[in-house]
Amino acid sequence: MENVLKRPIITEKVTAQNKKGQYGFEVSMNANKIEIKKAVEKLYGVTVKEVNTMRCFGHMKSKSTKKGAVTAGRTSTWKKAIVTVADGEIIDIYAEA
């Protein structure tokens, strides 16, 4: 269970959702919603109402070398979880970042 949560997602869009009690986390690709819920409740001591997950596919990247050749590749695919906590509860992500 310790490998379920990789890191909190601290972006402008996810931070705006914090007011509604929603927090974003990068999670393991093989983690399910039940495991994510248990991990957040254990780590942060809050009651989780809902967990929504999504897979974020990697982007295409390319890089030019000094000799003019182009190297193309792809970034890694990762999984994101949006966790909704019970009313009145908060997760202080910035204390750990």
Side-chain angles (χ1 to χ4, degrees):
M1 183 170 0
E2 60 275 349
N3 296 337
V4 174
L5 299 177
K6 291 186 177 181
R7 65 180 179 91
I9 299 173
I10 303 173
T11 62
E12 193 171 340
K13 186 174 183 178
V14 173
T15 304
Q17 292 179 329
N18 290 356
K19 295 174 186 169
K20 296 188 282 184
Q22 295 179 331
Y23 299 90
F25 295 95
E26 181 180 345
V27 296
S28 174
M29 283 293 287
N30 57 0
N32 61 32
K33 292 181 181 186
I34 296 168
E35 292 172 341
I36 295 167
K37 178 180 177 178
K38 288 179 182 179
V40 171
E41 287 178 343
K42 181 179 177 185
L43 186 62
Y44 294 105
V46 295
T47 304
V48 175
K49 284 192 337 188
E50 185 179 14
V51 177
N52 296 324
T53 60
M54 61 198 82
R55 292 176 58 200
C56 301
F57 294 98
H59 299 281
M60 291 297 296
K61 294 276 191 163
S62 62
K63 166 173 104 167
S64 298
T65 61
K66 290 183 179 180
K67 295 183 179 180
V70 176
T71 304
R74 189 171 199 77
T75 60
S76 298
T77 299
W78 56 288
K79 190 172 188 178
K80 180 185 346 185
I82 303 296
V83 176
T84 305
V85 298
D87 294 334
E89 295 187 349
I90 60 169
I91 296 175
D92 192 11
I93 292 175
Y94 302 105
E96 296 186 19

